[in-house]
Amino acid sequence: MEQPRDKTLDFTSDGHILVFDKLCKNYQLGSVELKVLREIDLVVKKGDYLAVMGPSGSGKSTLLNLIGCLDRPSSGKYYLGGHDVSTLDDNELSAIRGRHIGFVFQSFNLISQLNVLENIEVPMFYQGMSEHRSKVRAIELAEMVGLGDRVNHRPTELSGGQQQRVAIARSLANDPLIILADEPTGNLDSQSGRDILNILDMLYQQGKTLIIITHDEDIAKHSQREIRLFDGRIDKQWYNR
Amino acid sequence: MFLYRTKRTLKLGIKSLWLHRLRSTLTALGIIFGVASVIAMLAIGEGASRDAMAQIARLGSLNIIVKTVQPSEDQHATGQQQSFQEYGLTYDDAERFRNSIPGVQVIVPVRRVAHQAWYRNRKIPVEVIGTVPWHLETSPIRLVMGRFLSGYDMDYKQDICIIDERVMNELFKFDAPLEQFIKIGSDYYSVVGIVSTQPIAVSSEQQEAKNVEATKKQAGANAGNIYIPLTTAKNRFGEMSIQASSSAGRRVEKVELQEIIVKVADADLVLPTRDILQTVLERFHKKNDYELTVPLELLEQAKRTQRIFSIVLGSIAAISLLVGGIGIMNIMLATVSERTREIGIRRALGARKKDIIFQFLSETLLLTFAGGILGIFFGCTIPFFVTHFGNMPTVITASSLLLSFGISGAVGIAFGMYPAYRAANMDPIESLRHE
Ligand SMILES: Nc1ncnc2c1ncn2[C@@H]1O[C@H](COP(=O)(O)OP(=O)(O)OP(=O)(O)O)[C@@H](O)[C@H]1O
Ligand SMILES: [Mg+2]
């Protein structure tokens, strides 16, 4: 089994890492066509820190799934690192997801049969990292999110906030360039939330590209740029700094 | 790299199988029983086959055995018992065989008489066999002690005998048998040699079916064989025998020889020689008073039957393996749909379709291989019990082990592939939404 082919994404230049061109996502519900995203135009540069806001059901999670190459758009173009995503095959998409993108899902999506450490190790396993190295890195990440003493617990034995932190640790496993987080502080008390925010700030400082969905104005304030979605359209967007 | 991944995937597989121990065990049971029954059935089939072959081979595959049988149609034709009957093989037959058949190596005419043998005050029923010095060439019995018949014995009608081990054990509990005298009828015979006991062969069963009465008399009671020169036998016992028959009192029979064994030099000559013997016999015997047995033919027939037997047994066992395989596929499909969400997560975290296929296929293969190994274990113990308690011979061949192991592997791949493909081809986002 060869190394997952690294589709050389143009992440090195200061160019546009992510470009949406009239991107649409529709769901066919019986005879009704549900337009969840309508002609989204968006450009994200390398190192951007983007906060996506909007009412429930406005299509934020759908947008994030598209960015993360999990879903395919109904129409419009999506360029990632200079590549038209629609031209990439499944293996290439898998490689991009595993290597360059870190997901934090709204519903955590931890594997319930695995303990904390093993959950964090999953992305590293698919990149072929050695067992020892991935273990060391997983412990490091668990300590970073404050779960160093819980590494052998199953997700069901953790609180919602702790699960969320495992999900964040897992998203950082392969040191991805883009981090996509769906309400990463949604289930946390203010102190833990602040810890997470500090981590995000640190990642931003390291030059990662962050796209965060949040309902919390304070968190949005941390970002460099805010986008407000409404009914599948970009309603407003502005820069914080 | 590949090995490393394989190792970790297998580890993962073992873990998830261990998580559902009961389910895994039940699933593997199908394979265990399938493999065990393939091995056991083949072992039993092979054992039966070898047993039959060995029995037939004891008759000698180069031999053609011509036996005297009592013709039955005479009695029915006349509707009444004849008081005198002359039938069976004759010395002339033996002479004709010798003259008319090329390639014949050995001809052994045999005269059998059921009698009592005495030694001191001990008495046992025996079969007295009048034969020739070269008898041993056509028979599986071996000389154990002393000597067999000689030309001198034949020419001068010596009163000597060779006893088999059964007779020795019955009569000579305390004495050394050689040089002792055994009394048969009113005459004494000096023991000059000891041979091994004639193993019971298939032909006796056949004979039994055809000629129940005669066999009962022979095999039922006799405690062993005593070999004497044919010439002596002719002299002492004559050719007449008085038979007590059910309805009409007594009946006198004249039979010269009970058996002529013809041995040819080469297996290719067996069937042509059989045909010649048949023609010769047909010409000189009006009555149907003989029977030709060709062990080689029996052997080939037995082989054919055994092959069919093995195929039938094997197919039955293979069907049970197939059922086991379908059981595995069923469970794996259930597992895949149960773990849909996990599959979605793994895909989102960078797993390729290949990785997912490999993960589920490895679980199936682990199940079938574990099942296969346990199945081989049980498959090897079952024949042991069959042999032990069922008194049936069994033979486990290496090829049957390989075959069943190969089949279980093939079952694993064949029935694991589809669920694994299903898992890999699920849409990641759909499976992430799956509850
Ligand atoms: N598979 C689907 N089939 C049909 N409709 C869908 C599907 N997935 C999402 N939708 C619809 O798309 C719309 C947007 O959903 P989405 O999950 O993106 O909302 P959201 O902005 O993330 O909301 P929230 O803040 O509650 O998480 C919703 O109205 C939802 O009903
Ligand atoms: Mg959402």
Side-chain angles (χ1 to χ4, degrees), chain B residues 31-41 374-376 378-380 382-383 404:
Chain B
I31 295 297
I32 294 174
F33 287 140
V35 168
S37 58
V38 166
I39 294 173
M41 295 236 184
L374 281 175
I376 285 177
F378 286 120
C380 292
I382 292 170
S404 51

Side-chain angles (χ1 to χ4, degrees), chain A residues 200-241:
Chain A
L200 293 175
D201 280 345
M202 184 190 78
L203 292 169
Y204 172 58
Q205 238 89 86
Q206 287 174 4
K208 310 274 183 217
T209 308
L210 300 168
I211 301 176
I212 313 295
I213 294 175
T214 183
H215 287 294
D216 190 335
E217 294 287 349
D218 290 342
I219 293 162
K221 288 279 177 312
H222 269 257
S223 71
Q224 182 196 33
R225 178 180 165 200
E226 283 182 52
I227 288 179
R228 189 167 289 276
L229 272 187
F230 187 78
D231 198 17
R233 276 182 234 277
I234 296 180
D235 193 32
K236 279 186 221 161
Q237 58 174 315
W238 63 90
Y239 288 84
N240 283 328
R241 12 183 168 167

Side-chain angles (χ1 to χ4, degrees), chain A residues 61-86:
Chain A
S61 296
T62 309
L63 184 74
L64 212 66
N65 289 338
L66 284 169
I67 295 172
C69 301
L70 273 175
D71 215 348
R72 287 180 183 266
S74 306
S75 68
K77 289 275 178 207
Y78 170 27
Y79 300 94
L80 180 65
H83 286 277
D84 183 350
V85 170
S86 63

Side-chain angles (χ1 to χ4, degrees), chain A residues 1-2 27 65 70 90-91 94 97-98 105 107 109-110 113 118 123 125-126 128-131 170, chain B residues 2 4-5 8 11 15 19 341-342 345-355 429 432-433:
Chain A
M1 215 176 286
E2 80 284 8
Y27 285 109
N65 289 338
L70 273 175
D90 191 83
N91 279 345
S94 300
R97 284 197 294 261
F105 294 98
S107 45
N109 280 338
L110 301 176
Q113 292 96 322
E118 291 163 336
F125 168 64
Y126 290 115
M129 196 187 283
S130 80
E131 208 167 351
R170 186 179 64 183
Chain B
F2 174 74
Y4 166 72
R5 275 206 175 221
R8 289 197 72 181
K11 247 181 162 175
K15 234 187 125 177
L19 215 63
R341 199 175 167 86
E342 180 194 330
I345 297 169
R346 288 181 182 276
R347 295 279 280 137
L349 298 179
R352 292 162 302 170
K353 286 185 178 179
K354 250 201 271 194
D355 298 322
I429 200 77
L432 272 175
R433 280 215 188 85

Side-chain angles (χ1 to χ4, degrees), chain A residues 60-61 106 182-183:
Chain A
K60 306 183 295 293
S61 296
Q106 195 168 9
D182 205 341
E183 303 200 30

